Amino acid sequence: MALLVEKTTSGREYKVKDMSQADFGRLEIELAEVEMPGLMSCRTEFGPSQPFKGAKITGSLHMTIQTAVLIETLTALGAEVRWCSCNIFSTQDHAASAIARDSAAVFAWKGETLQEYWWCTERALDWGPDGGPDLIVDDGGDATLLIHEGVKAEEIYEKNGTLPDPSSTDNAEFQIVLTIIRDGLKTDPKRYHKMKQRLIGVSEETTTGVKRLYQMQANGTLLFPAINVNDSVTKSKFDNLYGCRHSLPDGLMRATDVMIAGKVAVVAGYGDVGKGCAAAMKQAGARVIVTEIDPICALQALMEGLQVLPLEDVVSEADIFVTTTGNKDIIMVDHMRKMKNNAIVCNIGHFDNEIDMLGLESFPGVKRITIKPQTDRWVFPDTNSGIIVLAEGRLMNLGCATGHPSFVMSCSFTNQVIAQLELWNERKSGKYEKKVYVLPKHLDEKVAALHLAKLGAKLTKLSKDQADYISVPIEGPYKPAHYRY
Amino acid sequence: MALLVEKTTSGREYKVKDMSQADFGRLEIELAEVEMPGLMSCRTEFGPSQPFKGAKITGSLHMTIQTAVLIETLTALGAEVRWCSCNIFSTQDHAASAIARDSAAVFAWKGETLQEYWWCTERALDWGPDGGPDLIVDDGGDATLLIHEGVKAEEIYEKNGTLPDPSSTDNAEFQIVLTIIRDGLKTDPKRYHKMKQRLIGVSEETTTGVKRLYQMQANGTLLFPAINVNDSVTKSKFDNLYGCRHSLPDGLMRATDVMIAGKVAVVAGYGDVGKGCAAAMKQAGARVIVTEIDPICALQALMEGLQVLPLEDVVSEADIFVTTTGNKDIIMVDHMRKMKNNAIVCNIGHFDNEIDMLGLESFPGVKRITIKPQTDRWVFPDTNSGIIVLAEGRLMNLGCATGHPSFVMSCSFTNQVIAQLELWNERKSGKYEKKVYVLPKHLDEKVAALHLAKLGAKLTKLSKDQADYISVPIEGPYKPAHYRY
Amino acid sequence: MALLVEKTTSGREYKVKDMSQADFGRLEIELAEVEMPGLMSCRTEFGPSQPFKGAKITGSLHMTIQTAVLIETLTALGAEVRWCSCNIFSTQDHAASAIARDSAAVFAWKGETLQEYWWCTERALDWGPDGGPDLIVDDGGDATLLIHEGVKAEEIYEKNGTLPDPSSTDNAEFQIVLTIIRDGLKTDPKRYHKMKQRLIGVSEETTTGVKRLYQMQANGTLLFPAINVNDSVTKSKFDNLYGCRHSLPDGLMRATDVMIAGKVAVVAGYGDVGKGCAAAMKQAGARVIVTEIDPICALQALMEGLQVLPLEDVVSEADIFVTTTGNKDIIMVDHMRKMKNNAIVCNIGHFDNEIDMLGLESFPGVKRITIKPQTDRWVFPDTNSGIIVLAEGRLMNLGCATGHPSFVMSCSFTNQVIAQLELWNERKSGKYEKKVYVLPKHLDEKVAALHLAKLGAKLTKLSKDQADYISVPIEGPYKPAHYRY
Amino acid sequence: MALLVEKTTSGREYKVKDMSQADFGRLEIELAEVEMPGLMSCRTEFGPSQPFKGAKITGSLHMTIQTAVLIETLTALGAEVRWCSCNIFSTQDHAASAIARDSAAVFAWKGETLQEYWWCTERALDWGPDGGPDLIVDDGGDATLLIHEGVKAEEIYEKNGTLPDPSSTDNAEFQIVLTIIRDGLKTDPKRYHKMKQRLIGVSEETTTGVKRLYQMQANGTLLFPAINVNDSVTKSKFDNLYGCRHSLPDGLMRATDVMIAGKVAVVAGYGDVGKGCAAAMKQAGARVIVTEIDPICALQALMEGLQVLPLEDVVSEADIFVTTTGNKDIIMVDHMRKMKNNAIVCNIGHFDNEIDMLGLESFPGVKRITIKPQTDRWVFPDTNSGIIVLAEGRLMNLGCATGHPSFVMSCSFTNQVIAQLELWNERKSGKYEKKVYVLPKHLDEKVAALHLAKLGAKLTKLSKDQADYISVPIEGPYKPAHYRY
């Protein structure tokens, strides 16, 4: 794809796959709105007062139908928005084009190369010569990373004129990041500094991104305030758990049509994502084996009747392998060689190094047969036996299906909107330092409350007497901070 | 689509959507073969002796990837095959083209009109002037119906020269059947008699088709022997139950991406199909309400924690409606008008009269918005509220997804192969009269046995002493005929 | 216990453990009545016309609270009743005493010796010199067996004066049966012939008993008509399945307090009873392994995510073993020796030869430590490792808990009442020959219907049009005889 | 029961129901040991060094078989122990007598009056004139409460000679507490001060007790350090959740034998305990309705397919009611009057004010019929309809069954042992102030790890590279403090 920015008739920039899918995208956005009561409530509650008036927001987050509803909630509250996806396979092209046509500057398509991916990220951050966005909505932390790396490089460059050297790293993706920064330095050696200057803060969506933020906080290198949306209960315990419970089987079925019942499924990791995946596989009739490093999570798996064993012990008897760890080097090419013919290997975690794709691709004599996009059969030369890898080892639920369903994303994204509002509203108060924050519990509870009526639920109300007895306010919050749900 | 028969370079007839999808179809067929151990075992066991040498088989059964493996099992055993689909939406075009190119005469594409559908059926039965096929593989009984109606019309025509009158029926589809027969009568007034003459028998796949056969048997109008494959345990308790458990959520997710968890799902009917559907919805986190006429099935639903209520009582509170009854007039347009906005309405049963599509289409002022193929939003004029109807009220799992997965279809289709073999082998013995038969239990058990190793299962063996104690042969069959599993 | 018949003030015979428990029994009977809507409906519907006026009914069926409600339904309909239990551990003493005091002649207590057991059976059949009962309610077939063996012995004795020789068999229990018959022959050589003469028929409750009846039918030795109540859908698919799903964990918990979650449970057999047991263990958080001889049942287990392996492969890794086969020699002493320390071994099937109790008891040096009644730890001398055997290898749910709950027994027992009524009403019509019959489907459906309102369910009614479309009467029966549910 | 302390031959004090049950208790203790790998590992690891040498420990915690294994772990590590139960119905008399005979001073029996209960608590704290215990193991906080109230009263008395006035409160139980303190003041006005002086700290087991401690900490009235064991993951997410999932159905079945399948169960509260209860009811085949005040927990319930409604909306349609809130006034007598006949009402929470027992007992004309101990039918005069109340509205799982099973209690109690060790080892270091602490995560993980082998689980080991990548030590702890599991 030629990397040229296009413009709508109104002059808004974009780069998407196929603008003719905008109508289809719009129809699905309208369906999704009905399933996203939290976001729609935000529009009703905050829309009239236009709280984001003047705010420039950059988003780096899977450009899906659900994200479209998020973006249009931000714009309905007054914001100007630029957007890219945070994964090369996760864009839904009809969503991207509907938003590009109607609401915001979008740079995203399904099946970007890594080169294209970072070009899109750069575009989403590019608000012109006055610096970048006021706020970032991040997922995985790539937008945040780019700014941090940019600032670091500019400092070194300022100090001694040294440019970043892409060949200094083995990591193919990081080479691209360094190249982009290097090339940018030549045209504007203060670009990322100006961004840093302007930036009020970031709200981060996912475990992986949050981990990076806490590391930067610990190292003292965090450049702006961050709200950890991932650890809102209504995010981590909903999107991660119930979202994956829905989208793992969805991805498996769309990619392979395989019958899950009767199969042996190995789920690597039993955190929230792993719990959702294991539940989905068990409910679909598979026998589930969990791999874990953490004895507490392992004991939880056992209490649900799941077996807990190391991958080595089960690699040759399982039919489906899903990684959910957020770690790297979970399924190596040596594991894959021992698997049954047509064993399915996929990763529902954020990055593509949970599965040793590099080892697989470079295995001597290995043959890749693409069944359909995101579904490849890799055949080993010696055994003539193959395995099926989904979405090239990346987020399989977004690569092979449509990701998490609207309702659960409404929880996550309502947290995002509330976090963005909080950062924006407090931009001058000094309330937020260069640290990582979580949303206060009453906002977390509010997000949940906004989603109950849609499901026909009615809460019980505390009496004054009861509230006093358990020492909570009648209107909440109802639980101490450490409560685990 | 212009209704012209095409020919392969080898001269075999076909009519499919797009021959260029044949390679993709072949890849998926190869994947499916690994998941269909029963069929592959038949090839190994029977292939060398070519038992179907000389047999002409017509199939009227969803032209999917799984069916492709069935067809190529029949041809691997020596048969010559012509095929059509038994539902206008159920063909997988890549499967059809792979088979058309490589193995058999196929007349099928996804999204046929009713007119096209019956044209295809006619083609599949058309083996030239010497009469029709030796054997029929039927699903829903349309091929069987056409022959019976044809013979009936020819008899009347012979008696008094009266031609069938399409305007004599309100049923749009039956008008087409009568038209076809009428037109055929003009060119060959003995066509269906010749088919009847040649035909050794039919093996029928589904509840609906079997019901028709038993009615014909009861009325004394059945023209040839029939094997009821549907009531093999390894069919009705597997394909119907586990197949739908898999494919209902698959269809819902592909069509609407809706989150099932938290929703209220109404499943109309709690037979094997309904049991599978209800289980799937419950496992996905929905609250399930069952409607039933049969107190025994109702009590079974209750024992699983499901609510049993008439549709009227719950029509305005549910989010998802699935019909599984095999009956008609289950969800009427008056029900639909009372539903929540964007309630999803679908039918996983065979025919499209479970949902009152006619009433919906003809409702004054109703607006149909096609989100994507097989997913329509119908908006009522007064309320401006809409419902979402899948696959135009027909088989939603085949219309919106890919139907049942290979493994469970392997059970069903292995029954078909065995039934066809039985009919063919006994074609001269007089063993089968013009009646409906079920396969003997030891063959049913054999079908199951062929599928165990793939799932890593090992059976226990009876000792002689134990077998005597419970009065069964060591090698089975292990259960009396009335055993319910 | 001294085997002397006692009498109530009204002169009715009985032999129970402790008459002072009658009040407690009465309270629990009253609770159970609320849970047994089928039986209570029978009282309402048939009570006024006293259809059993003049009928003498003998029951050999676990003398529990639920059976008490059955007995008092029979007496409410006019019958005179004598009762014994059909298992040495299954009597609930408070139930026995309440019935003995208030309603019928009862000979039963928890913990009978085999000697006592058969004495009780004899008493229940002993209606004085005019022969035995008019009708038998049987469970497991012991009352039926005694009459058949008695008649056989009397014939031989009449022919050549030979008395039965208890030493002719190794089976300890059968020795007792022969002894009883031998001793009876001396006092009345026509006793069992008179019984046979009078007897109108038997209704049999359980798989095991039914199997015996079909064998006798096949051999031509069945002496009177029998109704197979076990194969009513509302019996076999309810009591066996849902009853055991309830009572297996109940028995395990009362006997051992062991945590089921996290454990490995082996369920031998995956028929209706096995399905209930496996479901219960899975739901409680165990990992379940099934052993099966029948490939169809094995495949069903696999579809539910259960592993299917022979006992040998898993004997040393499992924590809980349950036999449900109805066969013998399932868990042998050699298996037990390989089990983990404190593995729990139990049988929920009817007879005590599924588990090799004889082999265990006679194992050299084995030590039995009774934790509490029905819970024994058996320690092997060499390993000093022990296993825990429940209810001495007999029906653990009745031995260690209270058996199936009232609601499901109401289904089974309403079938019994209806079967008894049928036999009695047709006693002169010749409708029933010396064969085994099942109840017609409309009665089966009626039993289910009587249990719906209690659970708040409402059925859907067929329209005339719909009923015609699927060719069933509006009021049912709704399914063909071969339907499997 | 005459409240006289008895003595063993060795001179140790005790007061239990029936010393002859000690052998039975010992057998069950030995069984439990096999199920409590965490505690047994503590004995192996710490026993030889006798770390508790010289420590006097008072426990106020349900005197069950599992607690017996805890007590004997404390004594195996060198402690001297005195014990009472923390609930009037929760003692298992055979466990109490085995411990009294063999290991520690026990004052507890099943069915204490409130008077007796507090006498026992006083005895357990009574280590003679030198003050009380060094350490307290508390559950619900009654031992802690007594000391705090005692100290408060002594201060007032010292100041102005005022004695506590029992009539100053309406709460019947608190009247008894004040009476005890008042009477004690007369004999030793420094008794509780001396206890406070000596006391190193308390480890508290349950949500309710912990809440009290945090309130005292907030008020600045906490007299000694406290370790909150309840909020160890291996406690709150195991004992509360999996323990109740096991013991709720156990209690229901032992008390009422009612069939759970098909019933409607209302679970008040969806915290960890409520989650366990709801899961148990759902798995047993009930339809579950949850009542909640907290929108987050409500949304979790919905995601599992449960209905969320206020009690008022469902009170007349449900069959089983369970309170799990830790709040008061959940089910009032006015609710009970609207319930179905024989609806079951029970509380699995700690205190008996969740259910309005006072309102029920004092309802004019209400009749109480005791079916058996802990199972009462209460009949309202107007309707003649009754409800069944378990364990007099107190902890039904301990009152009607045997509480949580050994394995899960091993997790909880291993936390207790580790907490007690920590307090004792740091008694001179000043590490712990008069505050509430939780155990560090690595100890929490250790508790879990000790329980894996028993269930056949094997953990995966991190490589150095992987550990660095996710920034955790190879040996753990693996999660941040706020992680929710």
Side-chain angles (χ1 to χ4, degrees), chain B residues 60-361:
Chain B
S60 165
L61 195 158
H62 314 288
M63 182 58 250
T64 63
I65 289 293
Q66 291 75 34
T67 301
V69 184
L70 166 61
I71 293 171
E72 295 193 334
T73 302
L74 295 173
T75 57
L77 271 57
E80 199 178 340
V81 175
R82 295 176 76 84
W83 213 266
C84 62
S85 199
C86 61
N87 179 291
I88 59 177
F89 293 129
S90 66
T91 297
Q92 294 174 341
D93 290 319
H94 62 326
S97 46
I99 292 299
R101 185 189 66 188
D102 301 340
S103 310
V106 174
F107 307 89
W109 54 93
K110 188 178 180 106
E112 299 161 356
T113 62
L114 286 176
Q115 202 81 39
E116 291 167 348
Y117 172 80
W118 284 100
W119 178 86
C120 290
T121 306
E122 222 189 343
R123 290 292 73 65
L125 284 170
D126 181 4
W127 289 84
D130 299 344
D134 298 304
L135 295 163
I136 293 177
V137 173
D138 216 350
D139 181 320
D142 279 351
T144 300
L145 173 92
L146 186 55
I147 297 176
H148 278 76
E149 291 298 327
V151 167
K152 196 159 70 182
E154 288 175 0
E155 281 170 358
I156 293 169
Y157 181 73
E158 186 172 29
K159 215 180 290 173
N160 56 23
T162 309
L163 286 169
D165 177 11
S167 72
S168 65
T169 173
D170 278 349
N171 183 311
E173 185 160 5
F174 198 57
Q175 290 175 353
I176 295 168
V177 172
L178 292 183
T179 306
I180 282 181
I181 295 173
R182 186 194 58 194
D183 297 352
L185 265 174
K186 300 170 188 165
T187 56
D188 181 354
K190 287 291 175 193
R191 184 180 189 190
Y192 293 104
H193 272 84
K194 281 183 280 178
M195 284 197 199
K196 181 189 94 169
Q197 222 60 40
R198 181 181 189 105
L199 203 61
I200 294 160
V202 62
S203 58
E204 165 60 46
E205 177 87 6
T206 198
T207 312
T208 305
V210 161
K211 194 173 290 173
R212 285 184 180 178
L213 290 170
Y214 280 113
Q215 285 172 3
M216 288 192 284
Q217 174 180 270
N219 301 339
T221 56
L222 186 62
L223 299 175
F224 35 77
I227 292 186
N228 163 2
V229 166
N230 180 65
D231 286 307
S232 291
V233 187
T234 48
K235 203 286 175 182
S236 64
K237 300 283 270 191
F238 283 78
D239 173 344
N240 295 359
L241 178 62
Y242 306 119
C244 292
R245 194 176 70 176
H246 178 105
S247 61
L248 170 64
D250 192 12
L252 283 173
M253 291 191 287
R254 294 198 207 205
T256 71
D257 291 318
V258 80
M259 184 153 198
I260 298 168
K263 296 297 194 302
V264 176
V266 172
V267 176
Y270 199 67
D272 285 321
V273 171
K275 284 177 174 72
C277 290
M281 292 297 95
K282 184 182 179 186
Q283 286 159 349
R287 181 157 67 84
V288 179
I289 300 168
V290 163
T291 74
E292 248 303 341
I293 57 165
D294 181 330
I296 296 178
C297 296
L299 198 52
Q300 289 183 305
L302 290 161
M303 290 297 105
E304 300 302 334
L306 310 177
Q307 216 167 351
V308 177
L309 290 171
L311 187 56
E312 284 65 30
D313 289 22
V314 298
V315 72
S316 61
E317 71 168 296
D319 301 284
I320 299 169
F321 296 83
V322 190
T323 57
T324 78
T325 66
N327 205 330
K328 65 175 185 177
D329 299 343
I330 303 304
I331 300 182
M332 307 306 290
V333 71
D334 274 349
H335 294 126
M336 300 184 216
R337 293 185 62 202
K338 293 177 189 143
M339 290 177 182
K340 288 162 75 169
N341 184 30
N342 283 8
I344 298 169
V345 177
C346 62
N347 168 32
I348 201 168
H350 196 86
F351 289 116
D352 69 343
N353 53 355
E354 298 206 36
I355 299 174
D356 178 21
M357 290 311 292
L358 196 63
L360 180 61
E361 286 156 14

Side-chain angles (χ1 to χ4, degrees), chain C residues 331-333 336 352-361:
Chain C
I331 301 181
M332 305 306 289
V333 70
M336 300 184 218
D352 69 343
N353 53 355
E354 298 206 37
I355 299 173
D356 178 21
M357 289 310 295
L358 196 64
L360 179 61
E361 285 157 16

Side-chain angles (χ1 to χ4, degrees), chain A residues 215 237 313 458 471 485, chain D residues 215 237 313 458 471 485:
Chain A
Q215 286 172 2
K237 298 283 270 193
D313 289 23
K458 287 200 273 177
S471 305
Y485 298 88
Chain D
Q215 285 172 2
K237 299 282 271 191
D313 290 22
K458 287 200 272 176
S471 307
Y485 297 88

Side-chain angles (χ1 to χ4, degrees), chain D residues 401-458:
Chain D
T402 62
H404 296 169
S406 301
F407 187 82
V408 83
M409 292 314 297
S410 179
C411 293
S412 303
F413 287 166
T414 306
N415 276 291
Q416 281 282 17
V417 171
I418 288 175
Q420 292 278 315
L421 274 174
E422 181 72 6
L423 286 168
W424 179 250
N425 290 340
E426 301 293 339
R427 65 190 179 279
K428 293 172 185 159
S429 74
K431 178 173 174 186
Y432 292 106
E433 303 173 50
K434 291 171 185 173
K435 289 187 179 164
V436 189
Y437 298 85
V438 293
L439 287 178
K441 189 163 291 292
H442 76 272
L443 292 180
D444 213 350
E445 292 181 354
K446 175 172 181 166
V447 171
L450 293 176
H451 291 85
L452 296 178
K454 164 80 183 166
L455 302 181
K458 287 200 272 176

Side-chain angles (χ1 to χ4, degrees), chain A residues 37-47 77 232-235 238 407 410-415 417-419 421-422 425 439-453 459 475-478 485, chain D residues 293-297 299:
Chain A
L39 291 181
M40 300 312 279
S41 297
C42 287
R43 295 190 196 179
T44 310
E45 181 174 351
F46 302 116
L77 271 55
S232 290
V233 186
T234 46
K235 203 286 174 180
F238 282 78
F407 187 84
S410 179
C411 293
S412 303
F413 287 167
T414 306
N415 276 292
V417 172
I418 287 175
L421 274 174
E422 181 72 6
N425 290 338
L439 286 179
K441 188 163 290 292
H442 76 273
L443 293 179
D444 212 349
E445 292 182 356
K446 178 175 179 164
V447 170
L450 293 175
H451 289 84
L452 296 178
L459 288 179
E475 297 304 327
Y478 300 104
Y485 298 88
Chain D
I293 57 165
D294 182 329
I296 297 178
C297 296
L299 199 52

Side-chain angles (χ1 to χ4, degrees), chain D residues 117-136:
Chain D
Y117 173 80
W118 285 99
W119 178 85
C120 289
T121 305
E122 220 189 346
R123 289 295 70 67
L125 285 169
D126 183 4
W127 290 85
D130 300 343
D134 298 303
L135 296 162
I136 293 177

